[in-house]
Amino acid sequence: MWYRGYVGRGAAPEILLNGLHRLEYRGYDSAGIAVLHGGNLQVCRAVGKVKNLEAKALGSDGLPRDAHTGIAHTRWATHGSPTEANAHPHCDDHAVFACVHNGIIENHQHLREQLRRKGHTFHSETDTEVIPHLIAEFYNGDFLAAAAAALRQLQGAFGVALLCRHHPDQIVAARKGSPIVLGVGNGESIVASDVAAVLGHTNNVIFLDDGDLALVTPGDVSIRNLDNVPITRDVSRIDWTLESVEKGGFDHFMLKEIHDQPESLRNALRGRLDADQGTAILSGMNMTPHDLVDIDRIVIAACGTSLHAGMVGEHLFEDLAGIVTEVEQAAEFRYRNPILSSRTLAIAISQSGETADTLAALREAKMKGSQVLAICNVVSSTIAREAGRGVYLHAGPEISVASTKAFTSQVVILLLMALKFARTRRMPRQTGVELVEELRRLPDQVARVLDRAPEIERIARKWAAARDFFYIGRGYLHPVALEGALKLKEISYIHAEGYHAAELKHGPIALLDEDVPVVTLANDIDGKDKMLSNIQECRARHAPVILTATEGDTDVAGFTEDVIRIPRTHQCLTPVTTTVALQLFAYYVARERGCPIDQPRNLAKSVTVE
Ligand code: M6R
């Protein structure tokens, strides 16, 4: 999740452990440290809090305190559960090399098999462990050359810091898709996955670019590419405070997590698209084509934001795959005595994987003999473990109480599942190919929505004093109306209600007047014409209207000056792009009102009681 390396004159174990403590709040499930001393590589790892690692590392059988070179890591499980064996650093068979890594090695299975055939033994379930073994395979005395040769074999994303016991004053670092920053101090150097881990030692930093390979020695750094061509990178002076750096320079974790979404979506999609067959690769579902065809009903159980993602899932499974689907508030599920069979697939959705009601629903579905799957973000969480199969979001830790990046990744995973079902059952290949192409473009389209933040902020500030809001949508955007309203109420404390636009006339319209803004999701998707009529109905009651509309769509011109433009996509992807705009809207309203955005009153990140 994050890592740091130190090479210099100081006491590496203590310096590295202090660094781990400082960033503890970010969430992790295990930690580890490796140091070089007296020609040996010594590793210490522990599950749980850094204090567990510290007790081991500084205990009587621990690490030599006067080691001057080391690397440390906190892990947030992605491949394999949070165990000591899976914690970083990982080593080769002879403990010559140690590696800490962020990112995902997509071809790790293939490499692992190759290395096994050559006699290597693996001790973890991680993708990372192939890296030190590969380096050992290429090593003939030149650490840097062996690292470059090994890293050239990797597909996927990595930021790595490496030690070799034959080179006691060196750390090798390399980056492809996962950030690395080097700190160059007086007689000491730092390698880190993030600038917050460098501050405190030095403010002089070098940001590596993709493809860079750095040899880091005390107070000095030399950079080349993986083909050994020397590269010059500027040294920057960073004057940020530690606090601002931890939030990636954003004022709140929520804003940082909103802005994480192009990357979290790339991680959700990475290695899961089959462009040729127009389908999804989701090995975690563990279902054969026969299993996929055999399912005759899907039931989704979740709470809060995850429930809204489930509602999008209902549209997706019915629309794309033609499978009867229902979404249940998880708390209701087991008390309603649901009708389930062995041909029912029950899907539990939960960011944390610990929500008590969702867990109870999962257990009920299992007990009634239906098939179960989980969609979780936290690896090896209770729901993920008890489901036994499913798909992880790989969204990274979500720290803000208001869920943002988890929602968009949940929708994408549901879409991938629906696509897999659809292609097995009734969807022609070409339609699947086109959808895969749309999915590929999605992270960039989300980035375009984020580029509109200043305009969204203007609209949010204009209406931040309102006491009530309505959000209305149809079809794929009905759940988004509910999610937009939930986001606004939980962080700004404004009363906000999400409705299906058609329901307006059946009651809520009685509340509309010039003081009640209506956020109208009028993107160019099925049902837009009816949304245009709904806008007229709101205007006739003098309610201010805020619109989301597709870029270039002129049908919405003249209704209001408060229009948030959303890039054109397949309609099944509009929940992702449009929700990002509503997250920003809620955020800026709450900020204008001076609310404690990351920790709203009365709310917990994970609701573990029924
Ligand atoms: O961890 P889960 O996805 O199971 O959490 C479910 C809800 O508690 C959660 O989505 C909650 O509604 C968020 N605060 C919404 O922002």
Side-chain angles (χ1 to χ4, degrees):
M1 220 214 89
W2 83 268
Y3 58 80
R4 187 192 217 193
Y6 174 85
V7 53
R9 293 184 291 254
E14 199 181 315
I15 290 169
L16 293 169
L17 284 163
N18 286 344
L20 294 182
H21 273 304
R22 224 172 46 195
L23 297 182
E24 268 199 286
Y25 70 93
R26 293 185 180 192
Y28 60 93
D29 47 51
S30 51
I33 184 166
V35 295
L36 294 174
H37 187 260
N40 287 319
L41 178 63
Q42 297 192 36
V43 181
C44 183
R45 297 177 295 189
V47 174
K49 294 287 167 202
V50 172
K51 66 176 184 340
N52 302 348
L53 176 69
E54 191 167 41
K56 277 176 91 172
L58 302 183
S60 49
D61 292 335
L63 301 174
R65 295 199 185 198
D66 58 343
H68 299 302
T69 307
I71 52 178
H73 187 270
T74 51
R75 173 172 187 258
W76 202 70
T78 56
H79 287 79
S81 42
T83 59
E84 196 174 309
N86 287 337
H88 299 208
H90 291 287
C91 298
D92 61 304
D93 286 319
H94 305 290
V96 176
F97 302 97
C99 170
V100 290
H101 161 233
N102 279 359
I104 298 173
I105 307 301
E106 287 164 10
N107 58 338
H108 75 103
Q109 286 291 14
H110 171 71
L111 294 170
R112 188 179 270 251
E113 280 317 310
Q114 277 187 345
L115 289 161
R116 259 203 195 110
R117 283 197 291 273
K118 291 183 174 167
H120 294 252
T121 309
F122 290 89
H123 302 281
S124 80
E125 305 159 88
T126 66
D127 52 340
T128 303
E129 199 183 354
V130 298
I131 300 173
H133 285 265
L134 257 186
I135 299 173
E137 195 58 34
F138 285 108
Y139 186 63
N140 58 10
D142 186 336
F143 180 21
L144 200 62
L151 296 172
R152 280 198 298 265
Q153 307 286 310
L154 305 183
Q155 289 166 14
F158 57 79
V160 291
L162 307 163
L163 296 181
C164 171
R165 81 165 185 232
H166 304 315
H167 299 268
D169 291 327
Q170 296 182 359
I171 299 176
V172 169
R175 154 179 185 156
K176 182 185 159 202
S178 194
I180 293 198
V181 55
L182 309 178
V184 192
N186 183 12
E188 60 181 8
S189 300
I190 303 280
V191 175
S193 52
D194 150 341
V195 78
V198 175
L199 296 180
H201 278 272
T202 176
N203 292 64
N204 298 326
V205 302
I206 298 171
F207 292 94
L208 293 189
D209 275 357
D210 276 353
D212 288 358
L213 177 73
L215 180 64
V216 183
T217 52
D220 194 33
V221 161
S222 76
I223 304 172
R224 60 206 67 214
N225 66 18
L226 292 182
D227 296 319
N228 205 23
V229 178
I231 292 170
T232 309
R233 298 267 172 242
D234 294 338
V235 178
S236 324
R237 176 134 190 108
I238 299 288
D239 289 319
W240 300 335
T241 63
L242 190 58
E243 203 208 350
S244 70
V245 168
E246 286 165 0
K247 291 176 184 152
F250 293 98
D251 289 343
H252 296 94
F253 282 109
M254 180 180 179
L255 191 58
K256 174 187 177 291
E257 286 159 11
I258 291 172
H259 281 266
D260 278 347
Q261 287 175 106
E263 194 51 30
S264 54
L265 291 170
R266 278 186 199 106
N267 287 340
L269 292 170
R270 184 169 283 125
R272 290 172 169 166
L273 294 177
D274 180 341
D276 184 47
Q277 291 305 314
T279 188
I281 304 160
L282 296 172
S283 48
M285 281 175 74
N286 203 7
M287 292 175 85
T288 64
H290 175 267
D291 296 336
L292 294 169
V293 172
D294 197 47
I295 293 296
D296 66 358
R297 188 161 153 259
I298 293 177
V299 182
I300 299 173
C303 300
T305 289
S306 299
L307 177 65
H308 298 151
M311 292 171 73
V312 178
E314 179 181 24
H315 282 268
L316 291 166
F317 285 119
E318 297 201 337
D319 193 12
L320 304 181
I323 307 174
V324 176
T325 306
E326 288 157 60
V327 194
E328 289 270 358
Q329 208 298 328
E332 197 57 29
F333 190 81
R334 71 175 163 157
Y335 297 111
R336 220 176 45 79
N337 197 12
I339 298 157
L340 304 166
S341 79
S342 59
R343 297 184 66 194
T344 306
L345 175 65
I347 304 177
I349 309 178
S350 174
Q351 187 284 132
S352 60
E354 302 296 344
T355 299
D357 286 322
T358 311
L359 178 60
L362 175 79
R363 287 176 177 161
E364 178 73 11
K366 274 177 103 170
M367 203 188 67
K368 289 221 156 84
S370 72
Q371 305 200 39
V372 296
L373 271 182
I375 299 177
C376 293
N377 193 31
V378 179
V379 173
S380 289
S381 52
T382 311
I383 291 173
R385 280 198 320 271
E386 292 206 12
R389 61 182 183 176
V391 183
Y392 284 118
L393 304 182
H394 296 323
E398 201 180 56
I399 292 169
S400 175
V401 165
S403 185
T404 53
K405 59 181 178 174
F407 174 85
T408 47
S409 292
Q410 286 164 344
V411 170
V412 160
I413 297 302
L414 285 161
L415 176 48
L416 292 175
M417 282 186 176
L419 179 61
K420 192 172 167 71
F421 271 105
R423 285 286 292 121
T424 317
R425 297 158 77 105
R426 66 173 193 177
M427 182 185 277
R429 179 176 162 276
Q430 187 52 30
T431 312
V433 167
E434 285 162 16
L435 253 178
V436 165
E437 194 40 45
E438 291 270 357
L439 276 162
R440 271 193 202 288
R441 284 200 289 265
L442 184 64
D444 290 339
Q445 283 164 329
V446 165
R448 266 168 55 197
V449 176
L450 296 173
D451 289 343
R452 295 194 182 272
E455 177 61 7
I456 296 172
E457 182 176 4
R458 178 196 69 76
I459 301 171
R461 292 172 70 150
K462 179 172 166 187
W463 298 108
R467 284 190 49 192
D468 307 280
F469 265 84
F470 277 91
Y471 284 68
I472 55 171
R474 288 172 177 268
Y476 277 107
L477 294 180
H478 170 221
V480 173
L482 307 190
E483 175 58 12
L486 172 63
K487 223 75 310 170
L488 186 71
K489 73 184 110 187
E490 74 177 322
I491 62 166
S492 75
Y493 312 148
I494 297 177
H495 167 236
E497 292 197 51
Y499 269 97
H500 190 284
E503 273 295 305
L504 209 59
K505 287 195 284 291
H506 298 282
I509 202 165
L511 295 173
L512 296 193
D513 63 23
E514 61 280 5
D515 294 326
V516 182
V518 183
V519 178
T520 309
L521 310 182
N523 306 39
D524 191 10
I525 62 171
D526 293 349
K528 185 187 83 177
D529 290 348
K530 294 197 171 64
M531 282 305 288
L532 297 182
S533 308
N534 297 136
I535 297 171
Q536 298 290 19
E537 289 157 15
C538 298
R539 279 162 47 95
R541 275 80 189 174
H542 308 293
V545 169
I546 298 161
L547 282 183
T548 63
T550 304
E551 283 176 355
D553 181 1
T554 51
D555 290 350
V556 294
F559 286 128
T560 171
E561 59 181 22
D562 298 332
V563 182
I564 303 170
R565 291 288 179 176
I566 307 292
R568 187 174 288 281
T569 55
H570 190 290
Q571 64 168 345
C572 69
L573 292 171
T574 54
V576 173
T577 48
T578 310
T579 300
V580 173
L582 301 187
Q583 293 166 352
L584 284 170
F585 180 76
Y587 172 81
Y588 287 121
V589 169
R591 198 170 76 176
E592 183 68 11
R593 293 166 71 98
C595 297
I597 293 178
D598 285 330
Q599 272 149 1
R601 67 185 179 209
N602 306 338
L603 289 174
K605 182 67 186 157
S606 178
V607 184
T608 52
V609 288
E610 285 190 41

